[in-house]
Amino acid sequence: MSLLEVNNVNRVLTDNNGAQVNVLQNINFDVQQSEFVSLIGPSGCGKTTLLRLISGLDRPEGGTVKVKDELVTKPDASRGYVFQHGSLFPWETIRDNIAAGLRVTQGRHFDKQLVDRYIALMGLQGFESAFPHQVSGGMAQRAALARSIIMHPELLLLDEPMGALDAFTRADIQNVIYRVWQQTKTTMILVTHDIDEAVYLSQRIIVMTPRPGQIKQIVTNPLPYPRQRTSDDFLKFRQTIQDLLDFGSHDQLVTDSKEKAK
Ligand SMILES: Nc1ncnc2c1ncn2[C@@H]1O[C@H](COP(=O)(O)OP(=O)(O)O)[C@@H](O)[C@H]1O
Ligand SMILES: [Mg+2]
């Protein structure tokens, strides 16, 4: 049995003019226990919409989302969600943010040593008492990851968590995510529009195309871990994904010119 099964999912939303838009159309894929899967596609292709359906924040108009064969109907602590930014409570310190979930499940006497371990794991020692606005974007995202992972989610949903960071910090957080995945074997679904990030981290890459949001292809990454970002094999596989994404827009152009020729 797959950990996650997404079957024939459709999402229909109403745009600003009151028109119905098929944001996601006929989405089908499975994710296995401990797998690392990326969803990649241009802005607006429905990645966040799909992740919200998997988390249970929204329900699809058609099709089903199942985790361990059970229909997802609402958010659940067993599914962690890290946003591009704003995952942390601005009024709490880094330490309190990391402990937020534990305070809910364990109460006042939550496991403080566990919090210390995650602070260390994420390299946040010395910043425990700082507030989110006082630390770098990279540190804030490490804290957001720690806050989710400390709860041992069976599925961690990452929505462009590196999207707002500079290239160096991005590579750094990618390595943190890689290490956490290796150590905990948490099943992860990463939304990104960064091909390098998807190729560096994932075992499979789900390539999406927009209007309506659809899956173009699901590609298995043949590269062994740990991956070398500059190796020939890396660049070659990167190009495979690039071509799939480019071909999507080329398709569109061909169709457009055919339309014009009519
Ligand atoms: N609540 C909403 N109401 C109407 N349209 C929406 C809503 N949320 C998203 N959309 C539209 O759905 C499409 C996909 O959005 P989104 O899932 O955010 O894409 P991505 O995360 O891939 O950039 C976009 O065209 C967006 O305008
Ligand atoms: Mg998005």
Side-chain angles (χ1 to χ4, degrees), residues 1-6 53-55 64-72 78-79 154-155:
M1 180 180 65
S2 306
L3 178 71
L4 170 72
E5 291 170 60
V6 177
L53 295 176
I54 295 168
S55 75
T64 56
V65 176
K66 287 183 183 171
V67 171
K68 286 189 177 160
D69 217 23
E70 282 200 27
L71 207 57
V72 169
S78 65
R79 290 185 293 281
E154 65 185 359
L155 182 57

Side-chain angles (χ1 to χ4, degrees), residues 36 38 162 170-179 181 190 194-203 205 221 223-230 234 237-238:
F36 198 122
S38 288
M162 282 70 92
R170 206 151 63 206
D172 174 53
I173 306 280
Q174 286 163 11
N175 289 331
V176 169
I177 290 177
Y178 172 68
R179 217 171 54 222
W181 177 61
L190 171 71
D194 182 329
I195 303 177
D196 284 295
E197 186 167 296
V199 171
Y200 185 66
L201 288 169
S202 20
Q203 294 171 300
I205 300 177
N221 190 336
L223 303 169
Y225 293 100
R227 293 173 176 159
Q228 306 302 322
R229 296 172 198 269
T230 49
F234 189 99
F237 184 63
R238 186 193 188 291

Side-chain angles (χ1 to χ4, degrees), residues 13-15 23 41-50 159-160 191:
L13 291 165
T14 309
D15 71 10
V23 173
S43 183
C45 72
K47 303 183 294 295
T48 296
T49 305
L50 181 52
D159 194 352
E160 310 217 27
V191 161

Side-chain angles (χ1 to χ4, degrees), residues 195-196 199 233-243:
I195 303 177
D196 284 295
V199 171
D233 287 348
F234 189 99
L235 298 173
K236 204 169 134 213
F237 184 63
R238 186 193 188 291
Q239 191 61 45
T240 305
I241 304 299
Q242 179 80 62
D243 289 346

Side-chain angles (χ1 to χ4, degrees), residues 2-5 29-33 35 37 187 189 204:
S2 306
L3 178 71
L4 170 72
E5 291 170 60
F29 68 96
D30 291 354
V31 174
Q32 307 307 314
Q33 186 85 49
E35 207 181 358
V37 173
T187 312
I189 303 179
R204 284 190 301 147

